[in-house]
Structure formats: C-alpha cells, structure tokens
Amino acid sequence: MYEQLFYLEPKPGISLQAQIQEIMVSAILDGHFPPGSLLPSCRKLAKYLKVSRNTVVFAYEKLADEGYITTSERKGHYVSEDVKEKSAYVKCVDESTINKQVDWQSRFQFTFLNYQNIDKPEEWRHCQYPFICGQLDSSLFSINEWRECCRIASSRATVGRWLADQTGSDDSLLIDQLRTRVLPRRGIRCAQDEILVTLGTQHSLYMLARILMNSKTVVGIEDPGYVDARNIFCLAGATIQPLTVDLHGVEVNQQLARCDYVYVTPSHQSPTTVTMPMARRQELLAAAEKYNFILIEDDYESEFNFVTQPSPALKGIAKNDRVIYVGSLSKTLAPGVRLGYMVAAKPLIQQAIALRRLMLRHPPANNQHIIALFLSRGYHDSFIRRLAQAYRNRWLILQAALKQYLPKCRIFPSFGGSTLWVEMPTHVNTTNLQQLALKQGIFIEAGRMHFLGNDKPDNFMRLGFSFIQEELIEEGIRQLAELINGLA
C-alpha cells in the first residue's frame, strides 16, 4: 500500500535522489512508516518510481547517514527507533511551497472552535477517582445479551433486514419497540409517522435548529443549562433568552413571553439535576399556549428516579402538538451507541426525514436492528433495573461522603440520575480545582460553562457517579476535600 505515498514530479534543480529523500522523510515523519517498520526494498521502490536502483540505493544511504533509517544485512531497511528526535527533515522541505498554502481561516464561515464546550481531557481515563458525567461503567453492561443480539442480526435469515439502503424509513421493529415499550413509560402515545430515529439528542437538536430557527428566532434556554444545546441554537443564528432555574426547574414567568421556542430538561434539569413537579409542568404548558411558543423537551435520565414515581413527560400530558420530544439511549444503553429518537407532529417529522437524508441518509441499519432486538427481548428493561440499583447505591454513598467531608458544600436536591450538582463556598474556584484534582488522580467537572452571561459563578461543580466504582467514591471525596482544604 506504500505506492500511494510516493510520487515524483519534475523539479528543476532538484535531483531524483533528493526528491526520493524528501518523500521518504515526509512519509516517515507523518507517521505512515512508524519507528521500527520495514521500508520497501531498493529494487521494488526503483521499479515503482521508474528510476535506477542505484538512485534509490544512494537515497537510502543518505537517509541512513542522517539517522532516519537503519539497515540490516539480508533483512532490509527499517525506520530508526529514534526518528522523532531527528530534525534533518527541515533541509528536505521545498521552500517554494511555503507561500502556496491555502488561507483556510479566511474561508471559514463559522468559527466552531470559539464555542465553549464541556472540557473532558483524556487524562480522566487514567484517574483513580473519575467523577465524570455521561460515561458508563462497562462492568454493568449486558455484554452477553448484546452479543446474542449481534449474532441474530448477523444471521443469514436476518441480515436482509438491514443490508439495503433505507433512506427515509427506519427499522420497523425498532420503531415498534420505541412506540410500545419505551415511550409509554413516559405517558407518550404516537403514530409511526410521528417518530424518527436519530444519532442521539444532539443530532435531533441540530435538525430542529436547521428546520425551525434563523436570526430572527428567540430560543429560551435554562440558565444554567446544557452547553451543547445552547451552541447548536446559536449556530442557527438564534437569539438566546436565558431562563431562570430554581429548585423546581425552569421558572414560569414573563421571560417566556419573548420566546419562539423553549428548550427544557424537566426530568433531570441539566446541570442542576432538579426535577420539575407536575404543577410546574402544567404551568409551563399553559404558558406555551398563552405566549404561543413551542417546547423542546429533552427527557434524559427519566428512567433513574430513586425516590418517587417519575412524572409523565410534557409530551405525554400536552393536549396538542406544541411539545417536541427528544430522547436517546445514551444514558440507559451506552453513550457510544449514538442512537436517539424524536417525537413530533407529522409535518415536522417529514421535514426532519428529508434533512436527515441530506446529512447521513439514515442511522446505520444494522445498529438499529441490534438495538431493536435488545429492546424486544427485554434485555434493555433488565439492564435499566440493574443500572438503577447500582446508581442508587452510588448516589447515596456520594451524598453521604459529601456531607461528611465537605459539610460546607450545598448539594442540589435530586430524585436520581447519574450526577450531582454541588455549590462550593465562594472562595473555591472549581475550574482551578479541576486542574489540581486531575494531577491527584481525581476528575471532577467545573460548572462555570453551564451559565450564561458575563458574571458567571466559579464555585459550582458536577460530580458523576455512573462510571466510578462504588467502593472508590468515599475515598475520592475524602482526598478531594483534603485538596480543597489546602486551598483555604
């Protein structure tokens, strides 16, 4: 496969030997030939480049002199193990190309990198105490049941269901399972043409923003709220209206009157985890009628309620189609599966199908069918029960540890979920704390980015308990408390 890396073109004043050196060094330093890998023989490379064998031999000798390659008699030429320490590549660069590089910055229509995102550095994977949010403890996953569903989906009798390009349709078994098994638990009834499979909540939100929003649109967002939803709506050019959040979720007040759309997370408000009671839900639906706005309900983690029975979704109690419902299996199956669903009025779903086709045609049909089998055989239900029990134990241990070791912190009330929202004393900057804790093998998530406006508080943090082992929670909080006390 190395042939595609090598191409000689006429370069006045540069010998063939020098050109071969240049392309070899480029291939090595770009990682196409990692340290210790075998290079093509002089004979094969000469034949491919249509040059004399001696030209390649001399080029290899020069590369060996400069430390890029080593030669083993009767075995061949290998990339040097310490090649990254060499700097001779600079001599081989064709300086005439430096001023011919494309000015990509001037071509960008959007500067996505300027959007503030939740920072989860890869170092968290090496932490002994990872209080990270949105990750699944793989030891809890139903691996045997998942393998069974993969095997069935790959059988000759079943494979025909997902080999074809489905374009505007989704796996019929998956749609049936979502309609009859998943959504009824949230009090939602819908027709087959009122539901669409997506690649997760963010995909749903992106399509809604593309279809419904422009520079004249005003979108109400919880403050503090879900960062990626805010970024997606901003990308559509919408004006963001911050909405105050209290211990019952988003407040129903005059702020809503300006909005065309209101994005809410009533089951477990993101990030505070508070749950919206039924009375507030009814108030919000009434306000949607009064002020003529559409609700976008992100119903994540509704399955994990450890104290009371979950309240029905807004979509389930609404008397009309004024609620767009988005859900996913990221929290109840696995975040890496990337499968979600949108429930809305038929005209909106039809538009979403057309947009989805232009984006990715349809979510992978094999994954859809595997998940449909996982749901239909009851494996998802038993998996949720096991997760809920494990999360409840960790939820109790984490709260007890915080009260014992960090008595001055304020834990926001929650009925379940997989995270806690914690307010620290004002002198504790959790952004700085996150960096210090990371060095001690403790991962936490600072809360500042969840707030809107310029005057953002620095003393909030999210502690996830879906990934960390139960027996490590107390010790992790104890060590975090020692670190915080040392900052005082």
Side-chain angles (χ1 to χ4, degrees):
M1 298 299 292
Y2 63 84
E3 290 90 347
Q4 287 79 8
L5 299 173
F6 303 141
Y7 171 71
L8 289 180
E9 59 180 339
K11 290 186 178 181
I14 302 180
S15 67
L16 291 175
Q17 177 185 323
Q19 288 187 58
I20 293 172
Q21 286 177 243
E22 180 180 334
I23 61 176
M24 290 299 298
V25 169
S26 178
I28 291 171
L29 294 184
D30 287 346
H32 298 297
F33 289 113
S37 61
L38 179 66
L39 296 172
S41 69
C42 295
R43 179 181 58 80
K44 287 184 178 179
L45 187 56
K47 182 179 180 180
Y48 176 75
L49 295 176
K50 298 179 181 178
V51 300
S52 72
R53 181 175 178 276
N54 283 341
T55 300
V56 178
V57 169
F58 292 143
Y60 272 18
E61 288 178 352
K62 183 67 173 176
L63 290 170
D65 291 341
E66 293 176 347
Y68 285 104
I69 69 174
T70 59
T71 302
S72 178
E73 189 174 354
R74 296 186 179 181
K75 291 185 178 180
H77 305 279
Y78 296 84
V79 178
S80 174
E81 293 290 348
D82 58 352
V83 67
K84 291 184 179 179
E85 300 176 4
K86 306 300 178 183
S87 58
Y89 174 60
V90 177
K91 301 176 184 177
C92 298
V93 173
D94 184 354
E95 295 184 1
S96 65
T97 65
I98 294 176
N99 296 325
K100 296 181 181 179
Q101 301 300 317
V102 175
D103 180 12
W104 286 108
Q105 294 295 333
S106 66
R107 293 175 177 266
F108 296 151
Q109 301 303 305
F110 298 99
T111 53
F112 299 97
L113 295 177
N114 289 345
Y115 288 109
Q116 188 177 34
N117 295 302
I118 299 172
D119 181 23
K120 296 185 181 182
E122 281 298 307
E123 291 90 336
W124 77 262
R125 299 182 183 278
H126 307 293
C127 287
Q128 186 176 3
Y129 308 104
F131 293 100
I132 190 166
C133 306
Q135 298 295 330
L136 176 69
D137 179 0
S138 60
S139 67
L140 299 174
F141 188 66
S142 303
I143 186 66
N144 291 331
E145 292 83 354
W146 182 260
R147 283 174 176 164
E148 178 187 332
C149 295
C150 291
R151 179 182 56 78
I152 296 171
S154 302
S155 67
R156 188 162 298 279
T158 309
V159 72
R161 291 183 61 106
W162 54 264
L163 281 179
D165 186 352
Q166 299 176 8
T167 310
S169 61
D170 293 310
D171 187 279
S172 58
L173 178 61
L174 177 58
I175 293 296
D176 286 342
Q177 290 301 307
L178 291 173
R179 288 179 58 245
T180 62
R181 190 183 292 265
V182 176
L183 292 172
R185 293 198 188 99
R186 307 298 302 125
I188 298 173
R189 291 183 174 88
C190 68
Q192 288 187 336
D193 55 8
E194 294 176 328
I195 183 170
L196 179 69
V197 176
T198 69
L199 293 181
T201 296
Q202 289 181 338
H203 184 206
S204 298
L205 295 178
Y206 185 89
M207 288 195 292
L208 290 174
R210 190 74 178 86
I211 295 169
L212 300 173
M213 301 173 189
N214 57 33
S215 59
K216 297 180 181 179
T217 306
V218 178
V219 183
I221 296 283
E222 298 162 325
D223 184 22
Y226 180 37
V227 178
D228 285 330
R230 185 172 73 215
N231 289 342
I232 289 169
F233 300 147
C234 285
L235 186 61
T239 299
I240 300 300
Q241 170 64 50
L243 302 176
T244 308
V245 173
D246 62 18
L247 296 183
H248 298 300
V250 66
E251 292 185 354
V252 179
N253 54 34
Q254 197 62 32
Q255 291 176 317
L256 298 171
R258 292 190 59 225
C259 301
D260 300 300
Y261 301 92
V262 172
Y263 170 81
V264 288
T265 53
S267 291
H268 288 95
Q269 199 277 329
S270 176
T272 68
T273 73
V274 299
T275 298
M276 184 181 292
M278 181 59 74
R280 177 70 61 86
R281 293 176 190 235
Q282 297 283 9
E283 254 189 289
L284 184 58
L285 288 170
E289 288 282 346
K290 178 180 179 180
Y291 299 125
N292 192 31
F293 60 79
I294 300 295
L295 284 160
I296 301 173
E297 178 181 17
D298 182 351
D299 196 39
Y300 84 104
E301 290 193 333
S302 59
E303 299 84 357
F304 302 132
N305 193 313
F306 312 142
V307 179
T308 62
Q309 288 296 319
S311 297
L314 291 170
K315 182 69 174 174
I317 59 177
K319 304 300 182 183
N320 49 41
D321 59 1
R322 195 171 285 278
V323 179
I324 302 169
Y325 181 93
V326 296
S328 81
L329 298 179
S330 292
K331 298 295 190 294
T332 59
L333 187 55
V337 168
R338 306 311 309 154
L339 188 133
Y341 41 93
M342 182 196 308
V343 182
K346 180 180 176 180
L348 178 55
I349 292 297
Q350 289 176 329
Q351 290 292 331
I353 290 173
L355 176 58
R356 188 186 71 174
R357 181 182 186 278
L358 296 177
M359 297 175 70
L360 47 86
R361 297 187 74 82
H362 59 80
N366 59 329
N367 291 352
Q368 289 193 50
H369 194 58
I370 291 168
I371 294 168
L373 291 169
F374 197 80
L375 289 168
S376 67
R377 291 170 172 256
Y379 297 150
H380 186 246
D381 294 338
S382 59
F383 181 45
I384 288 177
R385 287 193 293 270
R386 188 163 64 255
L387 275 185
Q389 183 58 52
Y391 287 179
R392 183 180 186 277
N393 293 341
R394 298 176 188 191
W395 176 70
L396 292 170
I397 293 171
L398 179 56
Q399 290 185 91
L402 287 168
K403 291 173 182 177
Q404 178 178 353
Y405 297 109
L406 290 169
K408 294 183 180 180
C409 76
R410 177 193 179 199
I411 307 170
F412 276 63
S414 72
F415 293 154
S418 63
T419 65
L420 288 181
W421 181 247
V422 181
E423 181 181 7
M424 300 301 296
T426 53
H427 73 274
V428 178
N429 185 310
T430 56
T431 302
N432 295 336
L433 178 63
Q434 181 183 28
Q435 299 303 316
L436 293 172
L438 194 60
K439 296 177 182 178
Q440 302 296 320
I442 306 169
F443 184 83
I444 64 169
E445 295 190 17
R448 189 176 195 275
M449 68 186 63
H450 292 277
F451 292 90
L452 287 159
N454 297 320
D455 190 21
K456 301 179 182 180
D458 291 310
N459 59 318
F460 287 84
M461 64 180 176
R462 291 178 85 195
L463 295 175
F465 48 86
S466 60
F467 187 84
I468 188 169
Q469 297 291 312
E470 183 178 310
E471 61 272 14
L472 296 175
I473 293 175
E474 181 179 350
E475 178 60 19
I477 295 300
R478 188 190 68 78
Q479 290 192 25
L480 181 64
E482 285 187 357
L483 188 60
I484 293 172
N485 293 334
L487 299 175

